[in-house]
Structures are given as structure tokens and as C-alpha cells.
Amino acid sequence: MASSMTPLHFLCGVLVLTIITRSTEAYGFPKCGSVNPGMKVMRLASCALAAQDEFAFVSRRCCAQVKKLEKDPDCLCSLLLSNAAERYGIDPEIAMTIPKLCNIADRPVGYKCGDYKLP
């Protein structure tokens, strides 16, 4: 028995995918690939203290991870503003200063990330 997809089935499928995509972005899932945001945020675990306390030491490991993500500021921004980052106690305003503290020369200065700008 052959299965045929009607235009209505196709339209329903597209609608469901659109809703899922938009809702995941709205609820803080990053715009940087299909990897779970919690997993990507975990890559920034070495930055946890520096992203919570503006006077904390920023490790070389943290700087290396941020430098990798800095190449895609949309991704970094969505991670910093994600629900996953919030659950880990990351303060986006403080976290936005990490690239400057790491002396990342080619950081996108002035890049707008939600209500914050990269210094």
C-alpha cells in the first residue's frame, strides 16, 4: 500500500517546523547550530565565575573558548542570553565584558546583544 502526501499534510508539516523553530529561538535556544544550548554553554564553564562577578579572574581557558565563539557573535550573544546561561547564573552584562578582558583584538566592538553592547 503506497502512502501519498497531500498538499495539506505538507503544509501542516511546514507549519509545525516553523512553530518549533520560532519557539526555540523565543525561549533562549541559540542561533548557532543544532547543538543543545546547555551543551554549548557548558563549553563556557571556565568563564562561569568571570560571567558572574566583574572582579573575578578570567582564565586563559575561558579566553580561548570565548575567542572561538567570538567568530560568530550571533551565536555568542544567543548563548549569553539563553535560558541555559541564566540557569548557570551568567550575568549577560558582565559576560559581555569578557572579550575585552581577554584582550581579543578582533572582537566586534559595539555589537548589540539584546540590551547590551560589546565594549
Side-chain angles (χ1 to χ4, degrees):
M1 174 168 16
S3 170
S4 63
M5 180 183 264
T6 66
L8 181 59
H9 286 116
F10 178 75
L11 183 59
C12 287
V14 169
L15 182 61
V16 167
L17 286 174
T18 302
I19 290 170
I20 289 170
T21 302
R22 290 200 175 148
S23 66
T24 56
E25 286 181 8
Y27 288 103
F29 284 85
K31 300 173 184 174
C32 46
S34 60
V35 177
N36 178 309
M39 298 301 288
K40 284 230 180 211
V41 170
M42 285 302 295
R43 293 180 187 163
L44 294 173
S46 58
C47 299
L49 290 177
Q52 296 170 2
D53 178 1
E54 63 185 304
F55 301 107
F57 173 75
V58 182
S59 71
R60 285 191 303 196
R61 184 173 182 186
C62 170
C63 290
Q65 289 298 320
V66 170
K67 188 168 178 89
K68 287 179 190 175
L69 285 169
E70 196 71 34
K71 294 175 183 168
D72 186 357
D74 286 338
C75 177
L76 181 60
C77 179
S78 63
L79 284 175
L80 294 177
L81 299 178
S82 72
N83 292 335
E86 184 178 343
R87 281 191 298 270
Y88 291 115
I90 292 174
D91 181 333
E93 187 171 11
I94 294 171
M96 293 297 286
T97 65
I98 292 174
K100 183 177 181 179
L101 294 172
C102 291
N103 294 318
I104 298 174
D106 57 345
R107 69 186 186 280
V109 176
Y111 180 84
K112 190 151 172 53
C113 181
D115 294 334
Y116 313 99
K117 283 188 179 179
L118 214 82

